Amino acid sequence: MSKFIDRVVLHVRAGRGGHGCASVHREKFKPLGGPDGGNGGNGGDVILEVDANVHTLLDFHFHPHAKAGNGKPGEGGNRDGKMGADLVLKVPDGTVVVDKDGEIVVDLVGTGNKFVVAKGGRGGLGNASLASKARKAPGFALLGEEGEELDLVLELKSVADVGLVGFPSAGKSSLVSVLSAAKPKIADYPFTTLVPNLGVVASGDTTFTVADVPGLIPGASDGRGLGLDFLRHLERCAVLAHVVDCATLEPGRDPVSDVDALEAELAAYKPALAGDASLGDLADRPRVVILNKTDVPDAAELAEMVTPEFTERGWPVFEISAVSRAGLRPLTFALADMVRQYREDHPKAAPKRPVIRPIATDESGFSVIADPQEPGGFIVRGTRPERWVRQTQFDNDEAVGYLADRLARLGVEAELVKQGAEPGCSVTIGDVSFEWEPQVAAGVDIVPTGRGTDVRLESNERVGAAERKHASRARRGLLDENGK
């Protein structure tokens, strides 16, 4: 027997982009035919898609890690790397995706609805794409980016029109079995139903779904019984139906007290997710009272006695027997009318059209702030600078010089000077910290030297901070005989 899982933690990781290729075309009589390194392929995305054939999150419970395919590196001969394969994960209708802060990322309702939860990394450019008038044969390529990696919570909420609530053994599963073609497990002991059961009911031109919520008892909203796990399945129900056992022999129980106890639990229940996209508070939903098991003589008399009290509250009351099927026809028509009325009052919103908002032309795309951990240091933040740093091969001087040119053209050098940066101060971009050398010309046309080298870096003779610190320790006699 498969388990019903309606809440899981999923660790997703998109594919890494492939590295670009630094290659030079070579053939007979053409020893240096120009750069021909291809670009790396983009990493694959992780996509969630609603599938009508999936009804539980069981697969993610046993396989909580999901990773898309990596992009392939570029090759010589202007051959681009293959893109990484997307990973499409099938989820049930009504799945809510939540991030680690408890904020809703997406509410997946409707078969075929898709959402990219983790974007694959970009592939690095090959040296053929980096060639320019000033740098005709780049001796470097850009690295591929890592894909997005994050932890998500998937929470399933049943998409049903009518939710049946009631004490254990009130006859909710039996009612679902006679109203629809669903065949839930039915037995004469409490907590027989351990998972929500859904059934499809047709009444005239209206077709709606009915779900029973197991294990509701006093204290369910505080974690008693099974109710806290399954109260979330009522959040999408347009109509709530109290199924009352009028033939119970338990002392201290009667239809009115049962309904009042469950109403208190519904009022106390609060969605655990911030900004949840439900239909409002459970206390505001339309109500129906279904007095079940009236085929028992004493139960029929009790149902007749308590009907006026529920009617005074403005709730429709129906006396039925799920065993003899008495009273089911009026109940079915009434539920269909309430669902139809709700659908008329709450029409489905039209699909939102995509809105493209171009980045303003005067937006610099970065910011420079003082480093709180390093006196006199600065931190550069921005999508482009941080991406450029991740794509740079720091063991290649030409690649480092290319990065310096890009940062200078973006305005990072000018902003550091404006904020009073001193030569040799620490500048951090992303995960990389380096010493700022303002006398190294950047952002200007240079005379290219050998492949993989940059004359500006070779001509810099300024003593770095580490060397100055070492010399200071030596002058004060703080070094040992090994010079450490």
Side-chain angles (χ1 to χ4, degrees), residues 102-332:
E103 297 294 331
I104 288 183
V105 176
V106 64
D107 192 354
L108 294 171
V109 178
T111 301
N113 192 10
K114 295 182 179 181
F115 184 79
V116 178
V117 293
K119 190 71 176 175
R122 296 186 184 184
L125 296 179
N127 63 345
S129 299
L130 297 174
S132 63
K133 183 179 179 181
R135 187 180 279 105
K136 292 182 171 58
F140 68 98
L142 299 185
L143 303 177
E145 292 185 85
E146 292 289 338
E148 294 181 343
E149 184 177 3
L150 63 159
D151 294 339
L152 300 171
V153 175
L154 304 186
E155 187 167 293
L156 175 60
K157 298 179 181 178
S158 300
V159 181
D161 298 303
V162 179
L164 305 181
V165 296
F167 275 69
S169 298
K172 301 185 295 297
S173 298
S174 299
L175 182 57
V176 171
S177 68
V178 296
L179 289 178
S180 68
K183 300 300 178 185
K185 179 182 177 180
I186 300 172
D188 58 352
Y189 55 85
F191 296 106
T192 304
T193 303
L194 299 178
V195 302
N197 296 309
L198 271 72
V200 179
V201 183
S203 177
D205 296 333
T206 303
T207 300
F208 59 95
T209 54
V210 178
D212 71 325
V213 178
L216 292 187
I217 60 175
S221 61
D222 296 326
R224 293 189 60 194
L226 304 175
L228 184 61
D229 291 334
F230 298 114
L231 271 170
R232 70 171 68 95
H233 293 273
L234 292 175
E235 294 181 19
R236 299 186 191 276
C237 297
V239 179
L240 300 183
H242 284 286
V243 181
V244 182
D245 180 3
C246 292
T248 181
L249 299 178
E250 295 183 25
R253 282 187 55 188
D254 62 82
V256 176
S257 62
D258 284 0
V259 171
D260 290 342
L262 295 183
E263 280 293 320
E265 296 306 315
L266 295 177
Y269 173 72
K270 299 297 181 184
L273 309 181
D276 191 11
S278 60
L279 303 178
D281 292 337
L282 296 180
D284 299 331
R285 310 290 170 82
R287 298 289 198 276
V288 172
V289 176
I290 303 174
L291 302 177
N292 193 18
K293 304 183 181 180
T294 56
D295 53 314
V296 179
D298 291 342
E301 294 179 5
L302 181 60
E304 186 177 353
M305 292 175 54
V306 299
T307 295
E309 185 164 350
F310 292 125
T311 304
E312 291 178 0
R313 303 185 186 185
W315 297 344
V317 181
F318 297 89
E319 300 180 14
I320 70 160
S321 171
V323 174
S324 65
R325 303 199 176 193
L328 293 184
R329 187 176 180 84
L331 172 63
T332 303

